[in-house]
Amino acid sequence: MRIGVLTGGGDCPGLNAVIRAVVRKGVEVYGHEFVGFRNGWRGPIEGLTKPLGLDQVEDILTRGGTILGSSRTNPYKVEGGVDAIRATLADQGVDALVAIGGEDTLGVAKRLTDDGIGVVGVPKTIDNDLNATDYTFGFDTAVHIATEAIDRLRTTAESHHRALVVEVMGRHAGWIALHSGLAGGANVILTPEREFDIDQVVGWVERRFEREYAPIIVVAEGAVPKGGEAVLSHGEKDAFGHVRLGGVGNWLAEEIATRTGKESRAVVLGHVQRGGTPTAYDRVLATRFGLHAIDAVHDSDFGVMVALRGTDIVRVKLAEATAELKTVPASRYAEAEVFFG
Amino acid sequence: MRIGVLTGGGDCPGLNAVIRAVVRKGVEVYGHEFVGFRNGWRGPIEGLTKPLGLDQVEDILTRGGTILGSSRTNPYKVEGGVDAIRATLADQGVDALVAIGGEDTLGVAKRLTDDGIGVVGVPKTIDNDLNATDYTFGFDTAVHIATEAIDRLRTTAESHHRALVVEVMGRHAGWIALHSGLAGGANVILTPEREFDIDQVVGWVERRFEREYAPIIVVAEGAVPKGGEAVLSHGEKDAFGHVRLGGVGNWLAEEIATRTGKESRAVVLGHVQRGGTPTAYDRVLATRFGLHAIDAVHDSDFGVMVALRGTDIVRVKLAEATAELKTVPASRYAEAEVFFG
Amino acid sequence: MRIGVLTGGGDCPGLNAVIRAVVRKGVEVYGHEFVGFRNGWRGPIEGLTKPLGLDQVEDILTRGGTILGSSRTNPYKVEGGVDAIRATLADQGVDALVAIGGEDTLGVAKRLTDDGIGVVGVPKTIDNDLNATDYTFGFDTAVHIATEAIDRLRTTAESHHRALVVEVMGRHAGWIALHSGLAGGANVILTPEREFDIDQVVGWVERRFEREYAPIIVVAEGAVPKGGEAVLSHGEKDAFGHVRLGGVGNWLAEEIATRTGKESRAVVLGHVQRGGTPTAYDRVLATRFGLHAIDAVHDSDFGVMVALRGTDIVRVKLAEATAELKTVPASRYAEAEVFFG
Amino acid sequence: MRIGVLTGGGDCPGLNAVIRAVVRKGVEVYGHEFVGFRNGWRGPIEGLTKPLGLDQVEDILTRGGTILGSSRTNPYKVEGGVDAIRATLADQGVDALVAIGGEDTLGVAKRLTDDGIGVVGVPKTIDNDLNATDYTFGFDTAVHIATEAIDRLRTTAESHHRALVVEVMGRHAGWIALHSGLAGGANVILTPEREFDIDQVVGWVERRFEREYAPIIVVAEGAVPKGGEAVLSHGEKDAFGHVRLGGVGNWLAEEIATRTGKESRAVVLGHVQRGGTPTAYDRVLATRFGLHAIDAVHDSDFGVMVALRGTDIVRVKLAEATAELKTVPASRYAEAEVFFG
């Protein structure tokens, strides 16, 4: 067989580990050939290829990002996109695809399979919000980086008796906030799944100051105060004449400072969370995903993606995998609340 | 309730995170009181206590080791040990125990429960060889440290065209070798579960040299060549007049050098693997274990330990938990073999 | 002798290492006694003390922040401040002070010495902008953290063909930007010492994109475009209706995106740079500073601070030390320019 | 000009950073061409070359090891070695060499210059034992890695009330032991410069145990007890029937256990210290060395090496540079003794 590989959506530590495992097992165990498609679905649409063999994957296990590049192009939103893919695959003699990506990429993979193109998916989401798998690679790395940052910020907070707000990734799901907040010993964790009450947050912060410690507040970028987005007024001058910066993290730091009279600072971790070498956990998970994905291709078991269930890698239908967002359940949030204040 | 806490066996990153979670939830949610017993089962036998309240656990989440100290003392092997425990518990007004430890500690916990003392167990084994739980805390940290070492050793191996043997922990189970070997891109992984054939190992090493790369061999301390322990002659002089150092890692490096004529070095990671701050993964797991252990105590559900199943923390009977060693199954080892040579 | 110790100004990794070295040598070699003053100069003004002996410094070498707390209080700006210090010292039986801090703290130390109170200074500035010493502790840690962030951001930039702007500390001096930019392989480094030309920056960025790599721009928070601060309009809506965020990093990312048509992102590292455990380099430097500072106190050599010259720790007059800001000289900036574009 | 570059001796983090800086400035500022010679002096002797231009150095700044490979070959010990180098240089049209290495490599560079071949040296020694420069790259990385290991070992030592012996690199000079011992808070530091008294070491260890802390002993591999090497009997059985392992670290652990009756463990860090990505400090130093080395070549200022003096990079005669080993002076060792016991 000749198999195409592509990576779509936001980058994520572990993508290269998947690519390497797919190619190593494909070549050495099954004798398949590979071609890389560049920049997500743009690759097969526009015929952008890259050689992909043992040499290309030799040294990539530990590297962040993706050697294939990525994009958010969707062939179903590009005029003639699917036909262009069909033509490229025929032209390249490609029998099947391995598509590594998040909800959007896997959604396309599902539709292409329905349309007769054989695709196996590998789930990727730094936010850990895919329902069909216990974890995805990249998430552990993001939590690791956020936790290291919280560890560092704690000492500066304590020395200056300041509140420190750490804004982490998570637009629709609070997994990074929950795990890094638990691991970093945060005194408040705020997630997109439940609107927060700023009075309650300030209460926790004040209780912490009373005990002569410095409060750490971990907030997902998608968390929203009661009353909603409108409350997060950006670009306006506050009572002190300072322009309000964007983002819930900066908003929170300013609210806390205003309401408690204590110093408060925000740090927005941003893209640091999704770059660089993956943790050992993510390298193992990504490698196992890759090994099992090429097995599925070899079995011509298309329309599935690989998933982690306990310690096993299983195959699940793409239809099922992309059906629902996996958000932080109330029981998991309640665990963390023990440490608030 | 008044509850005693102790840690037994080898130390492990995450012990303090468990202690903190037990005490935080116990005090703040249930209103319990706590007393720390020092140095494993020696504590309740000899009445060695330590105050344990919110202040004592404030700053310990990120610290390796255990604030309670540890030992390998077994009350069933100490004359009058169990009676001494009974007396101490009565003296201290302690109603129940949380015992954090490995097979030995949990075995004692089970027998004590049978003998009428209420104990809840928390599993701890850096080697990940406890059957009843998907993972235990400390394992991810050990794998992380071993993987960082392999990453570093690769560049020195490549620059000098040397074989590098990395000996990691794992006397009876090869989990650390398997995961760090996969994560570090090892070219050979050797585990205690299967005797290895030195000729085959040398073959993989030579294949790697032929491709102009430097081979990395990850070996668990408990791995044994065919022919058994006897082959690992220590303290004798080899053909070059060098005294053979102890351990399978040093033995392998010498065999590879002799048989291939290439330079070869061994690094024995040793205790570095079990010290220092836990990874974020281990902090979250240890914290969740602690929260669920105190729930079990509060429910007077003794004779159980907490365990990870998928993403859930569950309770399992101690009898079941300590029944069998969890070794690396053939299917998991086969996954890794794809990358050998 | 009985000696007071205090830390002033922004916190900095290594402060605790200085305190430990001062106390260890003072107690064990010279037989002195110590008292800690809390929260910078507020401590001796308001009589806020903390016990400071061998036990208090046992475990603090590796910790960020300062166990004594800090503040920006200046006794010469507080009504009766100096008299209050005099009274506290008499009350506490304190013969001399060790003051660890930056320009402001050391400026006060100088004036107090002139006013008859014996003070020895230890220089602290994360920005490395004190003229009398080759380096100060904290700087290496800040550069280390910024470099790790740049390493991570590079892979995400490459995968998405994006420009990544990293804003680091440095209001008046560009040392952190220069060193982390060199260490991280930045394609543009912008410092407060020279106004930058946005057209030239965009030229470097475009040249980099043309070579199919992703540009990394490291910018000190105090860097200013030609035309000055006014150009950095914050809080206004740009052409796309987005509110302009504050800070030169965000401004640059937006300008680059607008002018090149490529994606661009900014990360503002902020307080992460000054927290957490010091690097080995900073622990050694801070420890040596502490050892030599207590020597100076023991010699009653007041009005001096310790300084690094080559590999030696020397004493310099505080008057000299605080005279001039150490900025990045043109020759050092020119070294880095080789790597631009 | 056409310039050859080679790396000799043991590998060291920062070699690639030097190569990159030499080539970047050579090509972009001076318009020179480059050729890489593989495996140290073997390269020009045997005509082993490697293309070396902007593309080859694009991605190597952060990587450990050396893309050119290394060896310990000495052309003055190879029959016809120097003539072979002459022939290769003529054949390749090479006008001058940049040789990056330690004492041996730089010694050859000196003799070749005397023999009419233009060489500029760049000093490299992980041990920091070259007299003519304040520091060399690689040293800071080695100290960083050793310190991280000590940090980890401390927690396991404390939990088990054990003595932990950490053997670090340094055959003839104790710089790594001194700096990592200071940075890690070691209770004993032993270096090759002064024979140690095992009774005194045991005294420090016991004093530490009495204070209820766990002693950490950092020992350079070249440290020797009074009475000399003969004392370090390897391969014999001790009183417990255990075979004595090689190395001063293992010997010390066994002696301490025997004499104190406490548990004791040794960790031999080995090659982990010299691999992997360089610290930011080493990347900056190595980069600056490379930039100044190519300046010297461009000036046809041969027979020199670059060196760090304070914060300046200067040129020193190779004759002077290799004259004497830089060992730890008594005054620096005395600083550390404050913390013993």
Side-chain angles (χ1 to χ4, degrees), chain C residues 143 147 150 154 175-189 218, chain D residues 20 61:
Chain C
V143 171
T147 301
I150 297 168
R154 179 173 305 286
W175 290 107
I176 293 178
L178 180 72
H179 278 236
S180 66
L182 272 174
N187 308 106
V188 182
I189 299 172
V218 174
Chain D
R20 168 180 174 266
L61 167 64

Side-chain angles (χ1 to χ4, degrees), chain D residues 18-302:
Chain D
V18 178
I19 297 167
R20 168 180 174 266
V22 165
V23 172
R24 283 291 289 257
K25 185 159 192 186
V27 170
E28 302 218 33
V29 176
Y30 295 128
H32 297 320
E33 279 179 18
F34 290 88
V35 59
F37 288 112
R38 297 179 54 199
N39 302 337
W41 293 112
R42 270 188 64 202
I45 294 174
E46 302 180 16
L48 309 172
T49 62
K50 195 169 175 159
L52 192 59
L54 292 183
D55 283 348
Q56 282 75 35
V57 302
E58 179 57 42
D59 204 22
I60 66 173
L61 167 64
T62 64
R63 290 203 213 161
T66 161
I67 57 165
L68 296 177
S70 187
S71 76
R72 300 192 185 275
T73 302
N74 182 333
Y76 288 97
K77 294 183 179 165
V78 172
E79 179 77 27
V82 177
D83 288 341
I85 290 180
R86 240 185 271 277
T88 300
L89 300 191
D91 189 52
Q92 292 283 335
V94 166
D95 306 298
L97 289 172
V98 174
I100 313 164
E103 256 195 306
D104 294 343
T105 306
L106 298 176
V108 170
K110 188 206 159 295
R111 289 184 66 180
L112 285 177
T113 306
D114 294 344
D115 290 346
I117 295 171
V119 191
V120 166
V122 177
K124 172 229 64 139
T125 148
I126 208 150
D127 294 334
N128 195 37
D129 57 1
L130 259 169
N131 209 31
T133 185
D134 283 0
Y135 291 105
T136 49
F137 59 88
F139 172 67
D140 187 67
T141 304
V143 171
H144 169 80
I145 295 167
T147 302
E148 278 198 343
I150 297 167
D151 284 356
R152 290 204 173 271
L153 292 168
R154 179 174 304 287
T155 62
T156 192
E158 301 280 0
S159 301
H160 289 283
H161 321 291
R162 276 178 190 155
L164 238 314
V165 177
V166 188
E167 185 184 302
V168 299
M169 284 187 165
R171 220 171 283 273
H172 306 294
W175 290 107
I176 294 178
L178 179 73
H179 278 236
S180 66
L182 273 173
N187 308 105
V188 183
I189 300 172
L190 304 173
T191 67
E193 287 86 354
R194 47 199 64 73
E195 292 194 340
F196 63 85
D197 178 343
I198 183 69
D199 293 324
Q200 192 182 31
V201 170
V202 168
W204 283 321
V205 165
E206 282 179 332
R207 183 179 159 212
R208 187 75 186 163
F209 274 128
E210 278 156 24
R211 295 178 60 204
E212 301 246 324
Y213 292 110
I216 303 279
I217 300 94
V218 175
V219 57
E221 60 185 328
V224 174
K226 275 181 185 153
E229 272 292 346
V231 176
L232 301 173
S233 51
H234 307 321
E236 292 168 14
K237 291 194 176 167
D238 65 16
F240 307 101
H242 297 126
V243 175
R244 295 243 171 188
L245 298 178
V248 66
N250 285 304
W251 181 84
L252 261 171
E254 286 160 14
E255 285 294 313
I256 289 170
T258 306
R259 289 166 180 245
T260 65
K262 302 270 188 178
E263 281 188 54
S264 174
R265 295 283 188 282
V267 172
V268 181
L269 290 183
H271 285 75
V272 175
Q273 292 163 87
R274 66 188 317 138
T277 194
T279 58
Y281 182 95
D282 279 338
R283 294 187 199 175
V284 171
L285 181 56
T287 297
R288 295 186 70 203
F289 273 178
L291 295 174
H292 286 256
I294 191 65
D295 288 349
V297 172
H298 187 73
D299 296 346
S300 295
D301 188 4
F302 301 119

Side-chain angles (χ1 to χ4, degrees), chain C residues 52-119:
Chain C
L52 191 59
L54 293 184
D55 283 349
Q56 282 75 34
V57 302
E58 178 56 43
D59 202 24
I60 66 172
L61 167 65
T62 64
R63 290 203 213 161
T66 162
I67 57 165
L68 297 176
S70 187
S71 75
R72 300 192 184 276
T73 302
N74 182 331
Y76 288 97
K77 294 183 180 166
V78 173
E79 180 78 29
V82 177
D83 288 340
I85 289 179
R86 241 185 270 276
T88 300
L89 299 191
D91 189 51
Q92 293 283 336
V94 166
D95 306 298
L97 289 172
V98 174
I100 312 164
E103 258 195 304
D104 294 344
T105 305
L106 297 176
V108 170
K110 188 203 160 296
R111 289 184 66 179
L112 285 176
T113 306
D114 294 344
D115 289 347
I117 296 170
V119 191

